[in-house]
Amino acid sequence: SACGSSLSFIKRRLPPPARTDKGILFQFDAPSAHLVQVAGSWPENNWLSGQAQTGSFRIGEMTDDDHDGVWTRYENLPPGRYQYKFKIDEVNWKEDPNNPQKVDDRYGGNNSLLIVK
């Protein structure tokens, strides 16, 4: 269709984190990023500081295997309330643009809020 090419300039709306058969799916649209991580309040991640046994492994690392600019990661999270952000190229922290639920991060910004039922 003729309108197909112009659509690539529109920021894709992705669903907020949702339960799948592989766990909670996090998605973040960042075509120019080299590394995207999901940072969150669950114990295994602990805002990317992780647990002692994870060592230097990149906590929360997301993948973009098909190179479409959308980074994904599955997390197995028990029911509860979690806060999270995305960290891009190890410097930029972003809240989830597709999740309207937010909480004050006590640093002048917001964390995205995920409630797992």
Side-chain angles (χ1 to χ4, degrees):
S1 72
C3 67
S5 58
S6 64
L7 291 178
S8 59
F9 298 106
I10 298 170
K11 211 51 174 154
R12 270 167 298 197
R13 281 199 62 75
L14 298 169
R19 184 183 293 288
T20 72
D21 55 4
K22 292 198 274 187
I24 304 291
L25 171 61
F26 290 84
Q27 299 184 90
F28 189 75
D29 187 9
S32 60
H34 300 289
L35 171 66
V36 181
Q37 293 161 280
V38 59
S41 61
W42 49 98
E44 299 79 14
N45 185 294
N46 191 22
W47 300 104
L48 303 183
S49 48
Q51 295 171 313
Q53 67 266 33
T54 55
S56 62
F57 154 81
R58 278 180 173 159
I59 294 162
E61 185 168 2
M62 302 178 78
T63 56
D64 177 15
D65 293 332
D66 56 3
H67 304 290
D68 65 350
V70 176
W71 298 74
T72 59
R73 181 177 177 87
Y74 295 92
E75 289 280 354
N76 286 305
L77 298 175
R81 290 169 67 90
Y82 303 97
Q83 296 180 36
Y84 69 97
K85 268 186 174 163
F86 295 103
K87 193 176 187 186
I88 297 90
D89 293 334
E90 305 191 79
V91 287
N92 292 318
W93 294 80
K94 305 278 190 196
E95 56 197 72
D96 187 343
N98 303 296
N99 181 354
Q101 298 195 79
K102 302 184 191 313
V103 288
D104 188 329
D105 68 2
R106 300 195 300 278
Y107 295 100
N110 292 301
N111 292 331
S112 295
L113 175 67
L114 170 63
I115 298 169
V116 178
K117 302 250 190 299

mmCIF file of all heavy atoms in Angstrom, residues 50-79:
data_model
loop_
_atom_site.group_PDB
_atom_site.id
_atom_site.type_symbol
_atom_site.label_atom_id
_atom_site.label_comp_id
_atom_site.label_asym_id
_atom_site.label_seq_id
_atom_site.Cartn_x
_atom_site.Cartn_y
_atom_site.Cartn_z
ATOM 1 N N GLY A 50 21.421 -6.436 40.947
ATOM 2 C CA GLY A 50 21.317 -7.893 40.956
ATOM 3 C C GLY A 50 21.629 -8.527 42.290
ATOM 4 O O GLY A 50 21.639 -7.886 43.330
ATOM 5 N N GLN A 51 21.867 -9.821 42.236
ATOM 6 C CA GLN A 51 22.253 -10.573 43.416
ATOM 7 C C GLN A 51 23.709 -10.951 43.267
ATOM 8 O O GLN A 51 24.252 -10.981 42.167
ATOM 9 C CB GLN A 51 21.376 -11.826 43.552
ATOM 10 C CG GLN A 51 19.916 -11.469 43.804
ATOM 11 C CD GLN A 51 19.021 -12.706 43.725
ATOM 12 O OE1 GLN A 51 19.135 -13.497 42.805
ATOM 13 N NE2 GLN A 51 18.130 -12.850 44.678
ATOM 14 N N ALA A 52 24.327 -11.264 44.361
ATOM 15 C CA ALA A 52 25.771 -11.513 44.363
ATOM 16 C C ALA A 52 26.191 -12.537 43.312
ATOM 17 O O ALA A 52 27.196 -12.373 42.639
ATOM 18 C CB ALA A 52 26.206 -11.971 45.745
ATOM 19 N N GLN A 53 25.391 -13.582 43.134
ATOM 20 C CA GLN A 53 25.841 -14.657 42.257
ATOM 21 C C GLN A 53 25.789 -14.307 40.775
ATOM 22 O O GLN A 53 26.294 -15.066 39.954
ATOM 23 C CB GLN A 53 25.051 -15.937 42.526
ATOM 24 C CG GLN A 53 23.583 -15.859 42.148
ATOM 25 C CD GLN A 53 22.705 -15.461 43.324
ATOM 26 O OE1 GLN A 53 23.137 -14.701 44.190
ATOM 27 N NE2 GLN A 53 21.482 -15.945 43.359
ATOM 28 N N THR A 54 25.166 -13.186 40.405
ATOM 29 C CA THR A 54 25.091 -12.884 38.979
ATOM 30 C C THR A 54 26.410 -12.333 38.439
ATOM 31 O O THR A 54 26.630 -12.321 37.244
ATOM 32 C CB THR A 54 23.976 -11.874 38.668
ATOM 33 O OG1 THR A 54 24.170 -10.710 39.472
ATOM 34 C CG2 THR A 54 22.615 -12.470 38.925
ATOM 35 N N GLY A 55 27.284 -11.866 39.300
ATOM 36 C CA GLY A 55 28.586 -11.403 38.844
ATOM 37 C C GLY A 55 28.474 -10.283 37.831
ATOM 38 O O GLY A 55 27.695 -9.363 37.990
ATOM 39 N N SER A 56 29.251 -10.380 36.746
ATOM 40 C CA SER A 56 29.320 -9.284 35.789
ATOM 41 C C SER A 56 28.294 -9.415 34.672
ATOM 42 O O SER A 56 28.239 -8.578 33.790
ATOM 43 C CB SER A 56 30.714 -9.232 35.175
ATOM 44 O OG SER A 56 30.951 -10.442 34.476
ATOM 45 N N PHE A 57 27.498 -10.476 34.693
ATOM 46 C CA PHE A 57 26.477 -10.695 33.670
ATOM 47 C C PHE A 57 25.564 -9.471 33.611
ATOM 48 O O PHE A 57 25.218 -8.906 34.642
ATOM 49 C CB PHE A 57 25.743 -11.985 34.051
ATOM 50 C CG PHE A 57 24.336 -12.098 33.561
ATOM 51 C CD1 PHE A 57 24.067 -12.483 32.273
ATOM 52 C CD2 PHE A 57 23.266 -11.847 34.411
ATOM 53 C CE1 PHE A 57 22.765 -12.616 31.827
ATOM 54 C CE2 PHE A 57 21.958 -11.972 33.981
ATOM 55 C CZ PHE A 57 21.711 -12.355 32.694
ATOM 56 N N ARG A 58 25.211 -9.065 32.410
ATOM 57 C CA ARG A 58 24.407 -7.846 32.248
ATOM 58 C C ARG A 58 22.964 -8.082 32.680
ATOM 59 O O ARG A 58 22.196 -8.697 31.962
ATOM 60 C CB ARG A 58 24.424 -7.379 30.806
ATOM 61 C CG ARG A 58 25.662 -6.580 30.458
ATOM 62 C CD ARG A 58 25.587 -6.168 29.009
ATOM 63 N NE ARG A 58 26.657 -5.259 28.672
ATOM 64 C CZ ARG A 58 27.078 -5.048 27.424
ATOM 65 N NH1 ARG A 58 26.510 -5.699 26.425
ATOM 66 N NH2 ARG A 58 28.042 -4.201 27.184
ATOM 67 N N ILE A 59 22.645 -7.596 33.845
ATOM 68 C CA ILE A 59 21.330 -7.807 34.425
ATOM 69 C C ILE A 59 20.262 -7.108 33.578
ATOM 70 O O ILE A 59 20.458 -5.989 33.119
ATOM 71 C CB ILE A 59 21.307 -7.288 35.872
ATOM 72 C CG1 ILE A 59 22.253 -8.140 36.724
ATOM 73 C CG2 ILE A 59 19.902 -7.305 36.452
ATOM 74 C CD1 ILE A 59 22.645 -7.496 38.013
ATOM 75 N N GLY A 60 19.146 -7.807 33.377
ATOM 76 C CA GLY A 60 18.012 -7.200 32.690
ATOM 77 C C GLY A 60 18.225 -6.930 31.224
ATOM 78 O O GLY A 60 17.461 -6.189 30.612
ATOM 79 N N GLU A 61 19.260 -7.536 30.627
ATOM 80 C CA GLU A 61 19.566 -7.229 29.227
ATOM 81 C C GLU A 61 18.421 -7.655 28.316
ATOM 82 O O GLU A 61 17.923 -8.770 28.397
ATOM 83 C CB GLU A 61 20.862 -7.924 28.796
ATOM 84 C CG GLU A 61 21.282 -7.535 27.392
ATOM 85 C CD GLU A 61 22.693 -7.979 27.044
ATOM 86 O OE1 GLU A 61 23.345 -8.631 27.878
ATOM 87 O OE2 GLU A 61 23.136 -7.671 25.921
ATOM 88 N N MET A 62 18.010 -6.749 27.441
ATOM 89 C CA MET A 62 16.945 -7.003 26.494
ATOM 90 C C MET A 62 17.547 -7.358 25.150
ATOM 91 O O MET A 62 18.731 -7.082 24.899
ATOM 92 C CB MET A 62 16.028 -5.785 26.388
ATOM 93 C CG MET A 62 15.422 -5.382 27.731
ATOM 94 S SD MET A 62 14.369 -3.913 27.652
ATOM 95 C CE MET A 62 12.846 -4.594 26.947
ATOM 96 N N THR A 63 16.757 -7.988 24.282
ATOM 97 C CA THR A 63 17.261 -8.388 22.977
ATOM 98 C C THR A 63 16.383 -7.827 21.866
ATOM 99 O O THR A 63 15.186 -7.595 22.059
ATOM 100 C CB THR A 63 17.313 -9.926 22.847
ATOM 101 O OG1 THR A 63 16.009 -10.452 23.106
ATOM 102 C CG2 THR A 63 18.300 -10.533 23.823
ATOM 103 N N ASP A 64 17.010 -7.602 20.725
ATOM 104 C CA ASP A 64 16.291 -7.183 19.518
ATOM 105 C C ASP A 64 16.776 -8.091 18.390
ATOM 106 O O ASP A 64 17.485 -7.671 17.492
ATOM 107 C CB ASP A 64 16.569 -5.708 19.222
ATOM 108 C CG ASP A 64 15.895 -5.236 17.929
ATOM 109 O OD1 ASP A 64 15.006 -5.952 17.429
ATOM 110 O OD2 ASP A 64 16.277 -4.171 17.413
ATOM 111 N N ASP A 65 16.386 -9.357 18.466
ATOM 112 C CA ASP A 65 16.925 -10.356 17.551
ATOM 113 C C ASP A 65 16.550 -10.093 16.097
ATOM 114 O O ASP A 65 17.305 -10.418 15.190
ATOM 115 C CB ASP A 65 16.454 -11.756 17.956
ATOM 116 C CG ASP A 65 17.058 -12.178 19.292
ATOM 117 O OD1 ASP A 65 18.166 -11.706 19.619
ATOM 118 O OD2 ASP A 65 16.423 -12.976 19.996
ATOM 119 N N ASP A 66 15.378 -9.516 15.865
ATOM 120 C CA ASP A 66 14.971 -9.273 14.475
ATOM 121 C C ASP A 66 15.334 -7.865 13.999
ATOM 122 O O ASP A 66 14.975 -7.468 12.902
ATOM 123 C CB ASP A 66 13.469 -9.538 14.287
ATOM 124 C CG ASP A 66 12.616 -8.712 15.242
ATOM 125 O OD1 ASP A 66 13.173 -7.892 16.011
ATOM 126 O OD2 ASP A 66 11.387 -8.885 15.214
ATOM 127 N N HIS A 67 16.033 -7.099 14.841
ATOM 128 C CA HIS A 67 16.532 -5.765 14.467
ATOM 129 C C HIS A 67 15.428 -4.835 13.981
ATOM 130 O O HIS A 67 15.627 -4.055 13.052
ATOM 131 C CB HIS A 67 17.641 -5.883 13.410
ATOM 132 C CG HIS A 67 18.770 -6.761 13.855
ATOM 133 N ND1 HIS A 67 19.642 -6.406 14.854
ATOM 134 C CD2 HIS A 67 19.141 -8.004 13.450
ATOM 135 C CE1 HIS A 67 20.515 -7.388 15.044
ATOM 136 N NE2 HIS A 67 20.231 -8.366 14.216
ATOM 137 N N ASP A 68 14.256 -4.918 14.621
ATOM 138 C CA ASP A 68 13.169 -4.004 14.243
ATOM 139 C C ASP A 68 13.114 -2.792 15.171
ATOM 140 O O ASP A 68 12.227 -1.967 15.069
ATOM 141 C CB ASP A 68 11.817 -4.729 14.242
ATOM 142 C CG ASP A 68 11.386 -5.197 15.627
ATOM 143 O OD1 ASP A 68 12.210 -5.146 16.570
ATOM 144 O OD2 ASP A 68 10.222 -5.610 15.763
ATOM 145 N N GLY A 69 14.081 -2.686 16.083
ATOM 146 C CA GLY A 69 14.130 -1.546 16.988
ATOM 147 C C GLY A 69 13.361 -1.739 18.274
ATOM 148 O O GLY A 69 13.453 -0.918 19.169
ATOM 149 N N VAL A 70 12.601 -2.827 18.361
ATOM 150 C CA VAL A 70 11.860 -3.110 19.594
ATOM 151 C C VAL A 70 12.619 -4.162 20.402
ATOM 152 O O VAL A 70 12.832 -5.283 19.946
ATOM 153 C CB VAL A 70 10.432 -3.611 19.288
ATOM 154 C CG1 VAL A 70 9.715 -3.992 20.587
ATOM 155 C CG2 VAL A 70 9.644 -2.537 18.547
ATOM 156 N N TRP A 71 13.045 -3.759 21.597
ATOM 157 C CA TRP A 71 13.814 -4.624 22.492
ATOM 158 C C TRP A 71 12.842 -5.339 23.420
ATOM 159 O O TRP A 71 11.882 -4.742 23.897
ATOM 160 C CB TRP A 71 14.806 -3.783 23.286
ATOM 161 C CG TRP A 71 15.813 -3.089 22.419
ATOM 162 C CD1 TRP A 71 15.601 -2.003 21.615
ATOM 163 C CD2 TRP A 71 17.193 -3.433 22.255
ATOM 164 N NE1 TRP A 71 16.765 -1.656 20.969
ATOM 165 C CE2 TRP A 71 17.753 -2.512 21.344
ATOM 166 C CE3 TRP A 71 18.002 -4.432 22.808
ATOM 167 C CZ2 TRP A 71 19.087 -2.562 20.966
ATOM 168 C CZ3 TRP A 71 19.333 -4.482 22.433
ATOM 169 C CH2 TRP A 71 19.875 -3.552 21.514
ATOM 170 N N THR A 72 13.121 -6.618 23.667
ATOM 171 C CA THR A 72 12.203 -7.408 24.485
ATOM 172 C C THR A 72 12.955 -8.191 25.559
ATOM 173 O O THR A 72 14.144 -8.501 25.412
ATOM 174 C CB THR A 72 11.419 -8.418 23.622
ATOM 175 O OG1 THR A 72 12.345 -9.287 22.958
ATOM 176 C CG2 THR A 72 10.561 -7.711 22.578
ATOM 177 N N ARG A 73 12.226 -8.484 26.632
ATOM 178 C CA ARG A 73 12.749 -9.357 27.680
ATOM 179 C C ARG A 73 11.574 -9.965 28.430
ATOM 180 O O ARG A 73 10.580 -9.280 28.677
ATOM 181 C CB ARG A 73 13.637 -8.588 28.659
ATOM 182 C CG ARG A 73 14.211 -9.509 29.753
ATOM 183 C CD ARG A 73 15.143 -8.776 30.690
ATOM 184 N NE ARG A 73 15.600 -9.670 31.741
ATOM 185 C CZ ARG A 73 16.653 -10.482 31.663
ATOM 186 N NH1 ARG A 73 17.365 -10.530 30.556
ATOM 187 N NH2 ARG A 73 16.992 -11.265 32.674
ATOM 188 N N TYR A 74 11.739 -11.221 28.799
ATOM 189 C CA TYR A 74 10.747 -11.897 29.630
ATOM 190 C C TYR A 74 11.270 -12.016 31.051
ATOM 191 O O TYR A 74 12.440 -12.334 31.257
ATOM 192 C CB TYR A 74 10.455 -13.299 29.083
ATOM 193 C CG TYR A 74 9.805 -13.280 27.720
ATOM 194 C CD1 TYR A 74 10.578 -13.345 26.571
ATOM 195 C CD2 TYR A 74 8.428 -13.182 27.593
ATOM 196 C CE1 TYR A 74 9.982 -13.322 25.310
ATOM 197 C CE2 TYR A 74 7.830 -13.157 26.340
ATOM 198 C CZ TYR A 74 8.614 -13.228 25.214
ATOM 199 O OH TYR A 74 8.017 -13.198 23.971
ATOM 200 N N GLU A 75 10.412 -11.738 32.017
ATOM 201 C CA GLU A 75 10.761 -11.886 33.430
ATOM 202 C C GLU A 75 9.686 -12.734 34.101
ATOM 203 O O GLU A 75 8.490 -12.482 33.929
ATOM 204 C CB GLU A 75 10.810 -10.519 34.135
ATOM 205 C CG GLU A 75 11.979 -9.634 33.741
ATOM 206 C CD GLU A 75 13.279 -10.004 34.447
ATOM 207 O OE1 GLU A 75 13.278 -10.888 35.335
ATOM 208 O OE2 GLU A 75 14.299 -9.388 34.103
ATOM 209 N N ASN A 76 10.123 -13.725 34.860
ATOM 210 C CA ASN A 76 9.171 -14.519 35.627
ATOM 211 C C ASN A 76 8.969 -13.855 36.987
ATOM 212 O O ASN A 76 9.832 -13.948 37.855
ATOM 213 C CB ASN A 76 9.681 -15.951 35.792
ATOM 214 C CG ASN A 76 9.546 -16.726 34.495
ATOM 215 O OD1 ASN A 76 8.452 -16.807 33.939
ATOM 216 N ND2 ASN A 76 10.642 -17.256 34.001
ATOM 217 N N LEU A 77 7.869 -13.142 37.126
ATOM 218 C CA LEU A 77 7.621 -12.380 38.344
ATOM 219 C C LEU A 77 6.400 -12.939 39.071
ATOM 220 O O LEU A 77 5.337 -13.095 38.474
ATOM 221 C CB LEU A 77 7.367 -10.904 38.007
ATOM 222 C CG LEU A 77 8.530 -10.175 37.334
ATOM 223 C CD1 LEU A 77 8.105 -8.761 36.946
ATOM 224 C CD2 LEU A 77 9.750 -10.134 38.240
ATOM 225 N N PRO A 78 6.537 -13.217 40.371
ATOM 226 C CA PRO A 78 5.369 -13.624 41.141
ATOM 227 C C PRO A 78 4.426 -12.440 41.324
ATOM 228 O O PRO A 78 4.829 -11.284 41.105
ATOM 229 C CB PRO A 78 5.957 -14.080 42.478
ATOM 230 C CG PRO A 78 7.284 -13.412 42.587
ATOM 231 C CD PRO A 78 7.771 -13.198 41.174
ATOM 232 N N PRO A 79 3.180 -12.705 41.706
ATOM 233 C CA PRO A 79 2.241 -11.590 41.909
ATOM 234 C C PRO A 79 2.805 -10.547 42.865
ATOM 235 O O PRO A 79 3.465 -10.888 43.846
ATOM 236 C CB PRO A 79 1.005 -12.284 42.498
ATOM 237 C CG PRO A 79 1.066 -13.673 41.943
ATOM 238 C CD PRO A 79 2.535 -14.008 41.900
#
